[in-house]
Amino acid sequence: NQLTLPDDYPNVSRFPDRTVLVDGFVLCVDVSAPFSPSDPQRDTFNKLISSIQGIKKPLVIALTKCDRVTPEELSAVIDNISKIKRVPPIVEVSAHYGVNVDLCFLVL
């Protein structure tokens, strides 16, 4: 609701001076959702990768919900991501089971 009715929620600024220093990015990809070359999510993903790589900050891709897909489906997603020119590190994550969550930040 906050995105569709923004005027109904208070505007809270976490950064009073409006500056923030970003040391790196963790791009989360839900592997339980479709991730084929014809999927609109793929186009957005490619644009995000290009933008982040353009500002020269570390980037890691966190594949989330790995516990909900088969190894074959996970492998297909990784193959699709591997077609990017400069592939950032990829970490398979399952927050539900607490698998590799910390590793995303250690890889940065």
Side-chain angles (χ1 to χ4, degrees), residues 61-77:
I61 298 174
L63 301 181
T64 64
K65 299 184 183 176
C66 291
D67 53 330
R68 293 188 177 184
V69 296
T70 65
E72 293 80 18
E73 292 170 323
L74 184 60
S75 179
V77 172

Side-chain angles (χ1 to χ4, degrees), residues 34-69:
F35 196 77
S36 64
S38 61
D39 187 37
Q41 176 181 325
R42 176 71 183 259
D43 187 43
T44 303
F45 175 80
N46 287 336
K47 288 178 183 176
L48 283 170
I49 293 285
S50 296
S51 296
I52 294 170
Q53 288 178 335
I55 58 174
K56 308 287 187 211
K57 293 287 185 177
L59 167 66
V60 64
I61 298 174
L63 301 181
T64 64
K65 299 184 183 176
C66 291
D67 53 330
R68 293 188 177 184
V69 296

Side-chain angles (χ1 to χ4, degrees), residues 7 10 12 31 44 49 53 70-71 77-78 90-91 93 98 102-103:
D7 296 331
V12 178
V31 296
T44 303
I49 293 285
Q53 288 178 335
T70 65
V77 172
I78 292 172
I90 298 172
V91 178
V93 176
D102 294 340
L103 184 60

